[in-house]
Each structure stands twice: as C-alpha cells, then as structure tokens.
Amino acid sequence: MFKLMGPLVLGLLAVTPMLLGQGGGGGAQFSTIPGAKFGKAVSLGGQPSDLILDESRKRIYAVSSGANRVWIYNYDGGQVTGSIEVGSFPSSAAMSMDGRFLYVTNVSAGSVSVIDLDGDRVMRTVSLPAKPEGIEVGFDGRVLITTQGSGANNALNTLLLYDPTLDGGAQLTPVASPPPINTPQPLPAVFIGRPSTAFPGRLMRTPDGQFIVGMVAINQRANNAQTTLFVYESASGTVLRNRTVTGQSTVLSVSPDGTRFMAGSTLYDIGSLNVIGQMNTANYPFVVAQGNNPNQTFNPNINIQNNFGGSAFGPDGKTLYAAFNVQAGAVNSRPLSEALVVANAKNLSVRLGLRMPESILGKILVTGDGEQAFATSESGLIDLPIGRMFEYPILMPESNAVFLANDPCNRGIARAELKINNIGTGRLTMTVPAATTALVTEIETGVVPTTVRFVMEPGRTNVVRQPGTNVYTGTGAAFGNNGIGVPVTLNSAEAVNFPNRVQVYMNFRQDDQRGIVYPIESSLNTNEGLHELVLDEKRQRVYISNAGYNRLEVFDIRRQRLIDPIEVGQLPRSMAMSLDGSTLYVGNSGGESISIVDLDTRRVVSEIQFPPIPGPGTRTWFVPWRSG
C-alpha cells in the first residue's frame, strides 16, 4: 500500500486536476455562469415556508407565512387557482395519507388549521399549549407536531400528538421527546423576495407512514441554531432514537424505501442516524459560479452555515435531485443555489448540473412518476419538468480528461481529439475559448455533435516545458503551469446544463523517460483527487481511491488497462486489505462509515458504521480514518 497526495504514478501516471475556488470564504460574492435555463418560476409574492404535493388533485399547496394563507397551484394547468386563509404566520403543512385533510401549523396563533381538501376550507382550528412549527401525519391518521415548547425552560409540550378520532381533551397528548428545548429566539421577520434563514422544526414521514423523521430547532437563528434529530414510530407513538446535530438544516427528504433521508445537504441512515455523506462541490464535474471576471470560474463550497436549498429522491430511490447555497458570506447574504444537481442517491456522486431560473431555497418535491419536480424559490416556486430533461439541449464531453504525450515513439506535435455530444435534443452550438498559449484548441464545427482537437507543440514560441511533467513557463502575466491540468470550459448559450470541465494534461518527455501513462479522470478539487494505491497480487490488480468520483479505480495488471470501477461511499480516501486478501476496507471521509468490498465480486457487500455522537450539523463531515 502506498499513500499518495497529488499526482499518482501508476505504471506510469494518473492525473489529478486542479482546485477551483474551494472554500468560498472572505465574504466573496459569486454569480452563476450564464446560459439557458431549465424549468419555470411561478410567482407567489415571496418564498413559501413549505410545499405539499397532492397528486390526486394535481396540486401543490404552498404555505405563505407572510400572507397567512395556503396557495393552490394546479401543475397540470401551470397556474395558481386559489388560496385558503389559515391562522397567523403559518409555517408547515402535512396531508393525511388518504388525501382528505391538510393540517397547517400557525406559529403566532398557537394553533393548527384542519383543511377539508374536498371543499378547500378550514373545517376546524385546534388550539395548542405551545407555538407549533413542524407537522406530519402517520399511517394511523394521528398527527405529530413539533413546537417551541412551554413551561420552565420551554421543556414541556415540545412534541405533541393530535388524534382527531378522540373526544375533546383527549385529542392532544405530549410525546416523550429528545433533550429539553431552551427558550427560543423571537420569530424571524417576514421578508418578501428574500427570506430570513430560519431552521424551524420540521417533520417528514416515510412513504408507508410507519415512521416520521423529525428535526426540532431550539432557536431560530441559522448561525447558532441547536437542533435535535429523531425518528418517531407511528404505531407505538414513541421516539425510537435521537441525535443532537447543532445547527443542522431542517429541510428534509426521505427515500422511497424509507431507509435514508436528507437533512439539508447531509444524508443520514434512518435506522442508525449515521451520516452516510454530505453533498459536496468536490463531487461536481463542472463549475457553477463565476466572479466579476467572466473568465474566472469557481466551485465554492456549499455554505453549510447558511444552508439554503433542499433535495428530493427520485421514485426509484437511485437518483437525488438537490440544490444548495454556494454563496459565501454572512447569514443575510443573497443565496446562490441555482444549480440543480442530479446525483447518485447512495453516495452523492454528481452526474449532471442544470441551470434554473431562480435559486432553490428549501423543499423540493417529485411526483410519483418522476416526471415533475417543484421547489420553493425567492418569488414562489419553480416547476421543473425533470422527466423531460433530455428533451432540452445538454452539452457533454465524452471524457473529462485529455492526455497529450510526446515521447521517443511519438515525436513532434502531439494531438488528441475529444468528441462533444448533445445528450439531450434540439439545436446546440458551442465555443471553446483559448486556454493558454502552451495548448492549441481547434473545434471542427460550432454545431454539436462536434470534435475538439487539442495540440501540444513541443517547440512553441516562448513556452518552456519541464520534461516528464505538465509543468511549463513562459511570458505573460497569467502564463505558466505548476503541473495541474489545463482547464478548458465549453461554452453554449443553448445548453441548459453546466458542461463538464475538461482537464488537459501535456506530458513532454525526453528519450530517457520511458513508461506508459494511464490517465484517470478525477475531481476538479485537488484535495479530493487520487489518494491511495493497494496492490492485489492474487488477482493482479491495483486499486486506486478516487475521492471526487466516490469510487475505486481498478487497474488490471495482466491486460494493462483500467476496468470497471467500484462504487463505494462518499469521498473515499484510505484503503486496507484483509490478511487473507479477500476483502478491501475503504474509509469514506465524507461520512461515518467504512465500505467493505468483496474483491472476487468487486462490489460493496457491507459497511462498518461509527456510533452517532452529538455534533454540529454546520460542519463538513470528515472521518480522519487512515489505513495502517
């Protein structure tokens, strides 16, 4: 085993691309890279505090805290068809599993409005002993409510159960809750167009209604909110397990099989409350933001201190749709979450990024057939036709890495071609900007599909190359390279996606430098490139941890080529092989687990989970596990 940080030499070389603006600190302000948009914005006069999907009626119910009402959006007709007035400062809503009733928490009024959806009217108002926030309905029709608490230190009535089948005083009962809740801060002010960052308590059931995942916020300030995560069982009416995750976003989504859920940008296991992973721009194969200079592009970190945005699982449970804030700065900085990422729902590997007309600020919903998604935005909601995304122009290179080599067997000018495809439909044009005078780029035609040719001229004027590397120097203020890949951005006005960034590596060698180079695609973030090698002599393979791609690369020594990679957890770094050579253990630094890989079948067969402990939700999860 060898631990490597930076470029990896395998037989002879694999490549690790550059870091692009990771961190996003210092209050810098970014904007998304311009281009065509996917989806349409529906104005409601401000951001809804919650969205509820009613597929039987083809509706979205949008809770408006500022207007004290629930807007009704008919997504078949694509328009707002009416509204229902509720109590003061409504925060959250939940629909009964039979689709008959909508329950809405009214924070300032200290009540729950019960809406008859057949008549679109409030049929009952239930007074509560504490101000409510989150609400959800189990399979048995009983309604679970999170509140801001009452009594000494607000420790009472923090979790209530409302049973509409019982009489009067018996309808409301307290539920034994997670740790006592402190006195909350005052309610946030209502902003039209730009909401405050608040983490009110939220609840969401599993699809079968057997369990409800909850997040109780102890106060309303995003930068110091203390939150408790818990799992409630509907049948017994009890909290099964809980975990303190201070400051964690309370925007929730649950997988179709009820085994996993997202809280903000963090993926949890429902059975153990372990962190599986945390959405990270290190997994993005594209860049989503730019500074004042149009040629200056970035992938700043997701701002988990100001964690606007949300997620939703696809109906098959394999795909996750998500958008999170990458804008650096204070709590009141305008959020930047206009990139809808399409990711692997098991390990958060990102496949595609789509440009949206507005930033997603909270909850995302997906219809049961996977055809449409809806999300809260600054002006109202965004209607996203995800089932038809490939009917739009989508620009995609066949590979994210290009390798040019000059050696004794290939003297003179080195060339490579890269096919550029439209994996969607419609007319699509593109341009390729000049990257550096050390690399020549030529495009066959500006209409996609097309081919881009990359040329390395060893004797190019004013270019001094260091043999055996991608290092070169020359004249000009922005000239030179310290060995990282040369970034090439594909531009298109028609594409609705952020095209994958291409990294070009130029290896200028002399006669005494021998060997074969095997380029490997890796992350744009150099911290999450290729980390470690493990030699499997029994099977004549080499395993390479590729952190940014959440997988292990597999090199077949006999056939001298890379074979199918092994998908593992998020941001894998370190590896260790069992003494009998049958198992590989992989430390996933993006979560709280170690993947166990069967080396005969080359697949993950199990995992080791670390015990969940109290900790801040507003941090990047990192497991400092190393093999030895």
Side-chain angles (χ1 to χ4, degrees), residues 29-31 290-296 298:
Q29 300 294 300
F30 307 127
S31 61
Q290 69 178 29
N292 294 328
N293 182 347
N295 296 321
Q296 183 186 37
F298 301 85

Side-chain angles (χ1 to χ4, degrees), residues 168-242:
Q171 289 182 328
L172 274 176
T173 55
V175 177
S177 66
I181 294 178
N182 297 324
T183 303
Q185 297 289 334
L187 288 173
V190 178
F191 292 91
I192 301 301
R194 185 183 303 179
S196 61
T197 304
F199 290 141
R202 285 290 183 260
L203 299 168
M204 180 169 282
R205 67 181 175 230
T206 55
D208 60 7
Q210 296 289 336
F211 301 96
I212 296 175
V213 175
M215 191 80 81
V216 178
I218 294 177
N219 60 49
Q220 304 298 307
R221 298 183 66 83
N223 59 352
N224 63 358
Q226 297 174 337
T227 45
T228 301
L229 177 63
F230 64 92
V231 176
Y232 165 89
E233 183 181 51
S234 300
S236 64
T238 60
V239 173
L240 299 180
R241 62 191 69 89
N242 64 70

